[in-house]
């Protein structure tokens, strides 16, 4: 399964997020095809993090990047998420959907979706 995400959307460095303990991880389905990005990066797990859970310095950087992202880019990102069942399942497990995703990061096989609610 291919997830079409432009590198412009890979906005948060691993340095900032690492692997937060509060993040939701979607379990891998054995025998299922592992999703990958256009660049060939294999996604092995998925995290869902609310922007409110980020440290203030990281949240400020995320807010800055979100402000510079066009509505067209956000819609494209959300469509890509909707096309990836593993991502939609991870969001649904937290009571969310792609319309609440404002940014993503892909590092070391981990897709981190940053969400914003109200």
């Amino acid at each position: 399964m291919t997830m079409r995400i432009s590198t412009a959307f890979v906005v948060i460095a691993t340095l900032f997020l690492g692997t937060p303990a509060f993040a939701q991880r979607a379990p891998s389905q054995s025998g299922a095809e592992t999703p990958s990005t256009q660049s060939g990066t294999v996604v092995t797990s998925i995290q869902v993090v609310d922007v409110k859970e980020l440290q203030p310095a990281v949240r400020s950087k995320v807010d800055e990047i979100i402000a510079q992202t066009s509505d067209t880019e956000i819609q494209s990102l959300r469509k890509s998420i909707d096309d990836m069942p593993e991502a939609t399942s991870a969001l649904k497990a937290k009571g969310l959907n792609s319309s609440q995703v404002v940014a993503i990061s892909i590092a070391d096989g981990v897709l981190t979706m940053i969400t914003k609610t109200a």
Side-chain angles (χ1 to χ4, degrees):
M1 171 182 313
T2 301
M3 187 170 168
R4 295 174 300 278
I5 299 178
S6 168
T7 50
F9 293 119
V10 183
V11 295
I12 310 302
T14 305
L15 175 65
F16 290 126
L17 292 177
T19 307
F22 54 80
Q24 168 80 25
R25 285 188 181 261
S28 299
Q29 297 175 353
S30 61
E33 186 177 336
T34 304
S36 63
T37 64
Q38 282 182 340
S39 65
T41 303
V42 175
V43 174
T44 57
S45 65
I46 299 173
Q47 299 178 353
V48 178
V49 180
D50 191 285
V51 74
K52 292 181 230 169
E53 297 172 331
L54 299 173
Q55 295 177 2
V58 177
R59 185 183 321 167
S60 175
K61 180 143 179 85
V62 169
D63 287 340
E64 180 182 316
I65 292 168
I66 291 168
Q68 297 173 2
T69 305
S70 74
D71 289 340
T72 303
E73 290 171 323
I74 290 290
Q75 292 307 316
S76 176
L77 171 66
R78 291 174 177 164
K79 182 179 181 333
S80 294
I81 291 167
D82 287 338
D83 290 343
M84 184 178 175
E86 296 87 348
T88 56
S89 292
L91 288 167
K92 187 175 179 180
K94 289 197 105 176
L96 303 168
N97 61 55
S98 66
S99 69
Q100 294 162 308
V101 176
V102 294
I104 67 161
S105 170
I106 301 175
D108 299 325
V110 179
L111 167 63
T112 301
M113 294 184 284
I114 310 298
T115 60
K116 193 171 197 175
T117 56

